[in-house]
């Protein structure tokens, strides 16, 4: 079979919808179109039933109670609701939040907002492997700390944080633990009970479900967690999130969760084999570096820097044939080096020469073979044109050179 | 059982053409609009094309249209921004607003951030313009006026131009919740003094989970939801791509067929109102049904008896889908806040039923409902 181009290897940005998900959604667009809040007729009940069923599907995937699931418009809204909602609800207890520098923008920008509201935020650094230092985390806790917000799996490098250890520390100090698990849910086993998570956000479109829908897990027992609603109105979602429910989207999210529940283990194995093949293929190049922990990493992600190669040139070399990203999709249109990679200690040069490979359910071995070849050829070609590469090959220590300032 | 759906103010069925327009974006065109490669660019282009369509129809600039998750988020954004970013310390609203407005302003009042004034209503349930002007004239603080364009329960339409002129005169910020009218009313925003309006796709045969907020270009506000730089830093979060495409397509279709559809639906509404009042003793229309009223909504009261008490339930058993009030409050068995505000003191003796229509309804359906009501009462 001929390889269809372009190859999509940016499944951390968004995923194509699984056809089974679309099939589950379709009836709720046209025939079963009721408003789930309509209590006086069958259209409303059918919609409500579908939402309830989806709530169970979602809850099951993360080992939660359906009552602990709040449907949102996506992970970003969930991040906002969790952080702002806890900040307002627990104002009498304190105003300090601990997060880390490699979080998604939705968490970081929300924390910036909290600071303007009089909150205090500690932004923990990460180690070279991308993991937070647990001792640093514990040290940062004060009597005013109400929330630790650390993501589950990083969107750029795929690093998985030590969630259980973090939650144990949080619990020990009576602090709530929120995790943005957008990249992890549906990809690796996430268990809110075993992991000790109090609040958790994720979205449909990162797990082969629809865009425009997500969920926030809010623990109801040990402890019972509450958040102040950030959108007022009809009192949907037990008062925590008003607005007519996006029924087809929610049905899609539910189905996506069910499929992940059943297939995640196999899929994770398959993808990590493909990812390793890709990584090994590319690491055969000289001066290539994997960014972030290799050990604690999502099975479908590899972030690799190719030293002495211009990042822009690298992207343009195969841009038409391979869709991937050189940073987080939300910021990849800008030419700033990724703040995540910089936080891992990478210099601008290495950060600029990095590529994020995000494999997915529909990635094939042929695509990986093609990608290894195309990326390798581009790197070699660009290096051949690079004076820096030439100097490196001649054994000149580039760091020792004093560059003339223009 | 053939069901009759007369609850189109709660939500409408997605039009097949809208689903068709959405399908590519539910399948092969799935790219994240923020990504710079082809998948991302085609998504971005689809969103910008949708924005242009919406702006053209509402007669405003594309830069004034922001996509949101729906009407509730838009109202919350507008009201909170008026207070947080535009310096409003006083809010004027009415007792018959949607809860997305009422609960938001009540919350702000409870926190002590704003002073809240409730404007008086006329006998027919319209805003008392003299009272509104006096509230504005006596407000030393910067004021937000938030009044809905068409009431979702009784259909009364606000004179948006006249309210806009008053707001202009007193330099007030004006938000109008237009969820019931976007897709059902010929807007001309360039010639309307209004700072914010909002719409929800699912009220005019578009998708759920997507809406718009119009923000007049002369004001600058901050986002309600922080995060990525989507929607020109105004609304973070990966865009609901297929929803946005569906919103624009549904609005385009609604606009294209507005003259015929509105006339047709208005015909159904008047016919039903006529049949009801002629057939049943003591039935009265709520709101300004034959005056300034949205053509999709008919709200009538049956006198409270043992039989009418069970009316909603029995209509449902007969496959007739109507509502006692808005969907959001229809779980509660008590009379809605709107009916209470309009018919204070009398509302306990009334059984209000809202019939709301769409182009998919027919005169035969109206006849069938009347026949069924004869059996039930």
């Amino acid at each position: 079979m001929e390889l269809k181009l372009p190859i999509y290897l940016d499944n951390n940005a968004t995923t194509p919808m699984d056809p089974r998900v679309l099939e589950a959604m379709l009836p709720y667009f046209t025939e079963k179109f009721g408003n789930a809040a309509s209590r006086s007729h069958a259209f409303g009940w059918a919609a409500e039933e579908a939402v309830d069923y989806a709530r169970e599907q979602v809850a099951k995937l993360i080992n939660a109670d359906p009552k602990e699931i709040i449907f949102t418009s996506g992970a970003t809204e969930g991040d906002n609701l969790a952080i702002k909602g806890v900040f307002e609800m627990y104002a009498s207890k304190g105003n300090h939040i601990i997060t880390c520098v490699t979080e998604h923008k939705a968490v970081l920008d929300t924390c910036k907002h909290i600071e303007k509201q009089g909150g205090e935020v500690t932004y923990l650094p990460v180690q070279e492997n991308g993991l937070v230092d647990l001792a640093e985390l514990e040290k940062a806790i004060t009597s005013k700390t109400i929330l630790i917000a650390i993501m589950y799996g990083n969107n750029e490098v795929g690093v998985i944080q030590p969630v259980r250890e973090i939650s144990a520390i949080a619990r020990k100090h009576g602090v709530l633990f929120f995790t943005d698990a957008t990249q992890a849910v549906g990809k690796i086993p996430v268990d809110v009970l075993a992991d000790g998570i109090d609040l958790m956000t994720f979205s449909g479109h990162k797990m082969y479900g629809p865009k425009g829908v997500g969920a926030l897990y809010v623990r109801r027992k040990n402890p019972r967690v509450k958040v102040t609603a950030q959108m007022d109105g009809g009192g949907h979602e037990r008062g925590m999130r008003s607005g007519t429910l996006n029924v087809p989207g929610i049905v899609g999210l539910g189905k996506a969760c069910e499929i992940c529940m059943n297939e995640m283990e196999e899929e994770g194995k398959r993808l990590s084999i493909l990812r390793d093949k890709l990584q090994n293929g590319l690491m055969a190049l000289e001066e290539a570096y994997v960014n972030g922990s290799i050990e604690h990493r999502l099975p479908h992600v590899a972030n690799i820097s190719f030293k002495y190669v211009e990042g822009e040139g690298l992207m343009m070399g195969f841009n038409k044939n391979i869709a991937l990203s050189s940073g987080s999709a939300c910021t990849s249109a800008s030419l700033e080096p990724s703040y995540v990679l910089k936080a891992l200690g990478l210099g601008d040069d290495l950060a600029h020469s990095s590529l994020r490979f995000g494999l997915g359910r529909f990635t094939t071995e042929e695509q990986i073979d093609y990608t290894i070849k195309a990326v390798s050829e581009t790197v070699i070609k660009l290096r051949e044109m690079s004076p820096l590469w030439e100097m490196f090959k001649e054994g000149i220590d580039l760091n020792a050179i004093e560059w003339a300032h223009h | 059982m053939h069901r009759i759906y007369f609850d189109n103010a709660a939500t409408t069925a997605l039009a097949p053409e809208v689903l068709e327009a959405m399908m590519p974006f539910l399948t092969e065109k799935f790219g994240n609009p923020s990504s710079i490669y082809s998948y991302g660019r085609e998504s971005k282009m689809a969103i910008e094309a949708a924005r242009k369509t919406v702006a053209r129809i509402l007669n405003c600039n594309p830069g004034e249209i922001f996509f949101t998750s729906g009407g509730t988020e838009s109202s919350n954004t507008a009201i909170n921004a008026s207070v947080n970013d535009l310096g409003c310390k006083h809010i004027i609203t009415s007792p018959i607003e949607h809860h997305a407005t009422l609960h938001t302003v009540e919350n702000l009042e409870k926190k002590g951030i704003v002073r809240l004034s409730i404007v008086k209503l006329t006998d027919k349930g319209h805003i008392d313009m003299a009272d509104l002007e006096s509230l504005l004239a006596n407000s030393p603080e910067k004021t937000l006026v938030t009044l809905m364009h068409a009431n979702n329960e009784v259909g009364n339409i606000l004179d948006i131009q006249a309210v806009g002129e008053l707001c202009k005169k007193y330099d007030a910020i004006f938000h109008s919740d237009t969820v019931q009218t976007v897709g059902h009313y010929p807007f001309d925003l360039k010639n309307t003094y209004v700072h914010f309006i909002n719409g929800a796709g699912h009220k005019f045969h578009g998708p759920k989970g997507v809406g718009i907020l119009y923000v007049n270009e002369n004001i600058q506000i901050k986002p309600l939801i922080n995060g990525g730089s989507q929607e020109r830093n105004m609304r973070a979060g990966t865009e609901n791509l297929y929803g946005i495409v569906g919103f624009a397509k549904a609005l385009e279709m609604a606009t294209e067929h507005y003259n015929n559809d509105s006339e047709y639906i208005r015909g159904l509404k008047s016919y039903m109102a006529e049949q009801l009042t002629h057939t049943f003793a003591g039935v009265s229309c709520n709101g300004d049904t034959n005056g300034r009223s949205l053509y999709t909504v008919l709200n009538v009261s049956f006198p409270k008896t043992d039989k009418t008490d069970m009316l909603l339930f029995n209509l449902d058993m007969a496959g007739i889908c109507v509502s006692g009030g808005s969907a959001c409050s229809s779980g509660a068995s008590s009379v809605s806040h709107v009916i209470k505000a309009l018919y204070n003191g009398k509302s306990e003796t009334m059984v209000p039923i809202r019939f709301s229509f769409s182009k998919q309804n027919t005169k035969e359906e109206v006849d069938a409902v009347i026949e069924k009501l004869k059996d039930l009462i």
Side-chain angles (χ1 to χ4, degrees), chain B residues 130-340:
Chain B
D131 188 48
L132 177 61
E133 175 146 24
S134 118
L135 285 171
L136 280 165
N138 292 307
S139 176
E141 320 97 317
K142 179 88 175 173
T143 299
L144 164 69
V145 173
T146 171
L147 294 171
M148 70 202 306
H149 191 203
N151 185 273
N152 55 319
E153 292 196 33
V154 296
N156 277 15
I157 292 188
L158 180 78
D159 187 342
I160 195 169
Q161 294 294 347
V163 172
E165 286 312 310
L166 272 185
C167 290
K168 190 176 179 181
K169 184 173 168 190
Y170 293 97
D171 193 26
I173 297 292
F174 180 27
H175 163 237
S176 188
D177 171 1
T178 53
V179 163
Q180 291 293 340
T181 48
V182 167
H184 298 286
Y185 182 89
F187 279 95
D188 179 8
L189 291 174
K190 282 203 173 128
N191 297 300
T192 310
Y193 188 88
V194 65
H195 297 94
F196 301 101
I197 74 163
N198 46 325
H202 74 103
K203 303 290 189 189
F204 50 95
H205 307 288
K208 294 180 178 62
V210 62
I212 56 155
L213 176 64
Y214 158 84
V215 182
N216 184 280
E217 61 189 355
N218 296 318
I219 53 172
Q220 288 285 326
I221 65 163
K222 295 199 179 78
L224 182 72
I225 294 178
N226 304 109
S229 54
Q230 292 90 349
E231 296 295 289
R232 303 187 308 291
N233 290 315
M234 265 297 302
R235 205 291 186 181
T238 299
E239 297 90 336
N240 180 355
L241 177 61
Y242 73 83
I244 289 169
V245 169
F247 184 101
K249 177 67 182 177
L251 186 60
E252 211 172 10
M253 284 178 60
T255 307
E256 194 182 331
H257 304 293
Y258 171 72
N259 288 332
N260 288 337
D261 287 350
S262 61
E263 196 181 325
Y264 172 74
I265 298 167
R266 193 186 309 278
L268 291 178
K269 171 181 164 174
S270 344
Y271 177 67
M272 178 135 200
E274 217 174 87
Q275 292 295 307
L276 283 170
T277 43
H278 285 169
T279 316
F280 304 101
V283 165
S284 58
C285 293
N286 299 322
D288 190 15
T289 308
N290 297 315
R292 246 174 36 230
S293 181
L294 189 64
Y295 60 89
T296 52
V297 179
L298 171 66
N299 194 312
V300 300
S301 283
F302 294 86
K304 201 177 181 101
T305 65
D306 288 351
K307 280 177 175 167
T308 58
D309 231 3
M310 296 292 284
L311 204 50
L312 267 183
F313 175 78
N314 285 327
L315 283 171
D316 172 46
M317 295 301 286
I320 296 165
C321 306
V322 299
S323 119
S326 76
C328 302
S329 54
S330 63
S333 55
S334 63
V335 174
S336 80
H337 70 284
V338 174
I339 297 297
K340 275 185 187 155

Side-chain angles (χ1 to χ4, degrees), chain B residues 78-99:
Chain B
I79 294 167
N80 282 297
S82 298
V83 173
N84 296 330
D85 309 324
L86 304 175
C88 294
K89 301 246 184 288
H90 177 210
I91 296 179
I92 301 174
T93 189
S94 90
I96 59 169
E97 296 300 304
H98 190 274
H99 280 148

Side-chain angles (χ1 to χ4, degrees), chain A residues 11-199:
Chain A
N11 287 282
N12 293 23
T14 191
T15 55
M17 202 143 74
D18 191 303
R20 292 169 289 181
V21 171
L22 179 57
E23 200 185 326
M25 290 166 70
L26 281 174
Y28 294 92
F29 282 123
T30 47
E31 308 121 57
K32 302 180 178 182
F33 60 84
N35 185 324
S38 291
R39 297 285 160 78
S40 53
H41 54 72
F43 284 94
W45 297 331
E48 193 190 15
E49 249 171 60
V51 169
D52 286 346
Y53 186 66
R55 209 184 296 280
E56 281 172 30
Q57 290 170 313
V58 173
K60 205 169 163 199
L61 177 62
I62 59 168
N63 194 25
D65 185 289
K67 290 196 193 76
E68 298 175 314
I69 303 299
I70 309 292
F71 288 115
T72 64
S73 68
T76 293
E77 187 193 329
D79 283 320
N80 275 258
L81 175 53
I83 297 171
K84 294 175 184 173
V86 164
F87 181 71
E88 281 187 49
M89 182 60 75
Y90 295 87
S92 62
K93 189 174 172 272
N95 69 341
H96 179 228
I97 293 172
I98 300 171
T99 185
C100 101
V101 291
T102 53
E103 290 295 305
H104 190 270
K105 278 278 178 225
V107 168
L108 294 176
D109 283 3
T110 303
C111 286
K112 291 261 154 29
H113 176 84
I114 292 284
E115 286 181 285
K116 283 184 206 144
Q117 307 291 308
E120 279 179 43
V121 181
T122 300
Y123 299 90
L124 292 175
V126 292
Q127 306 167 75
E128 261 181 35
N129 61 7
L131 299 177
V132 292
D133 182 325
L134 294 168
E136 291 267 329
L137 169 69
E138 188 157 17
K139 259 199 315 205
I141 296 174
T142 72
S143 59
K144 291 275 178 202
T145 308
I146 48 174
L147 184 70
I148 294 172
I150 306 270
M151 71 204 311
Y152 210 111
N154 184 272
N155 49 315
E156 291 196 40
V157 290
V159 164
I160 300 171
Q161 296 290 353
V163 167
R164 289 188 186 185
E165 287 79 2
I166 294 170
S167 72
I169 292 171
R171 201 140 287 215
K172 182 174 145 197
H173 294 273
V175 175
L176 295 177
F177 173 46
F178 161 64
T179 188
D180 177 341
T182 308
Q183 298 291 345
V185 169
K187 313 289 172 57
I188 56 172
V190 171
D191 179 328
V192 289
L193 292 183
D195 293 341
I197 295 163
D198 295 317
L199 301 115

